[in-house]
Amino acid sequence: MWFTKLWNKSRKSAELEGLYAVTQFRQAMERERARADRWGNTLSLLSLGVPSAHKGRATLRQIARLLGRRLRDTDEAGWLDTRHIGVLLPNTPSWGAWTLADELCLAFPDRVDLPRCRVYCYPSDWFLGDSNRGTADRNAASSDGSAYDNSTEAMEPLFFKALPIWKRTVDIAASGVGLLMLLPLMILVALLIKLTSRGPILFPQTRVGLGGGHFT
């Protein structure tokens, strides 16, 4: 009995061994991004995820098993995080990534839950804002929306790295001290603007922040 359990455990672990680790896959993303920039090609990323790494283990194993038989020599698969497997598809438009998602999901046995599929594309016009981002609607989206999102997303935000905590702390502290020191001057400038102009004291404008997030 113990031998059977040990054999099943090692077999299931081996099914996931062909995938890049998170760090390796991030390096592959950077490499393929550089190639896309150099040659002007399109790069797509198919993300296959589950709500929980533990409960979705069977789904993740099935994904790894199917990818081992269906990927091209130029494609690369690895972990985006503990709940998502990513597939890099060089020289592939978004519809090609959705086609692969369809093929993988159709090959799933009925007893295994389908993954959550999302497609990212590079390059894109992500910096223009949500209303003008130019995401391509998926023509073959599932009718119940259980396995797919309905649009292709920009890949650029995935390449951004979070700021270190110490850097964020220094930024906030320095900004706070600077605002306190300049407060009397800013009050004077605000009064002068109000007395000489019909417009607002503060001029609002939308900017792009870390990771492609937009703020006013």
Side-chain angles (χ1 to χ4, degrees):
M1 181 66 68
W2 66 268
F3 179 78
T4 303
K5 291 182 178 179
L6 181 62
W7 169 258
N8 289 335
K9 184 177 180 180
S10 18
R11 179 177 58 83
K12 292 175 180 178
S13 299
E15 291 172 349
L16 299 173
E17 284 181 357
L19 301 173
Y20 286 154
V22 174
T23 302
Q24 293 175 313
F25 192 66
R26 291 289 175 177
Q27 292 172 348
M29 288 174 59
E30 293 286 354
R31 182 180 65 249
E32 292 302 330
R33 174 193 182 186
R35 288 178 178 173
D37 288 337
R38 183 182 304 118
W39 301 108
N41 296 328
T42 299
L43 172 65
S44 290
L45 169 66
L46 171 61
S47 170
L48 304 154
V50 294
S52 167
H54 176 69
K55 294 181 180 179
R57 198 69 177 175
T59 299
L60 295 173
R61 285 199 303 268
Q62 185 65 28
I63 293 170
R65 188 182 303 118
L66 293 172
L67 289 177
R69 301 196 300 260
R70 292 179 178 267
L71 291 187
R72 305 169 299 180
D73 292 338
T74 55
D75 300 336
E76 298 178 273
W79 294 98
L80 285 168
D81 54 42
T82 57
R83 298 187 296 109
H84 296 85
I85 293 176
V87 185
L88 278 175
L89 304 167
N91 304 320
T92 304
S94 59
W95 62 263
W98 282 121
T99 300
L100 175 61
D102 281 334
E103 293 175 354
L104 293 174
C105 290
L106 288 173
F108 262 65
D110 294 336
R111 66 180 183 277
V112 181
D113 294 334
L114 293 177
R116 186 71 177 176
C117 302
R118 304 178 75 173
V119 169
Y120 301 85
C121 201
Y122 179 87
S124 70
D125 52 355
W126 63 278
F127 53 86
L128 294 179
D130 292 335
S131 60
N132 298 309
R133 189 166 290 181
T135 54
D137 288 338
R138 180 177 180 272
N139 294 326
S142 64
S143 58
D144 58 1
S146 58
Y148 301 109
D149 288 332
N150 293 328
S151 63
T152 298
E153 301 183 37
M155 196 188 300
E156 282 85 350
L158 299 181
F159 294 107
F160 285 88
K161 298 179 181 179
L163 286 175
I165 296 178
W166 67 266
K167 175 67 165 60
R168 183 60 175 164
T169 303
V170 170
D171 288 345
I172 293 175
S175 300
V177 172
L179 287 173
L180 288 175
M181 293 176 62
L182 295 174
L183 185 59
L185 177 60
M186 289 191 293
I187 293 176
L188 176 61
V189 172
L191 290 174
L192 291 175
I193 292 175
K194 200 62 180 176
L195 292 173
T196 59
S197 173
R198 292 179 297 177
I201 295 175
L202 298 178
F203 172 69
Q205 193 174 45
T206 301
R207 296 291 186 180
V208 179
L210 182 65
H214 293 78
F215 65 96
T216 301

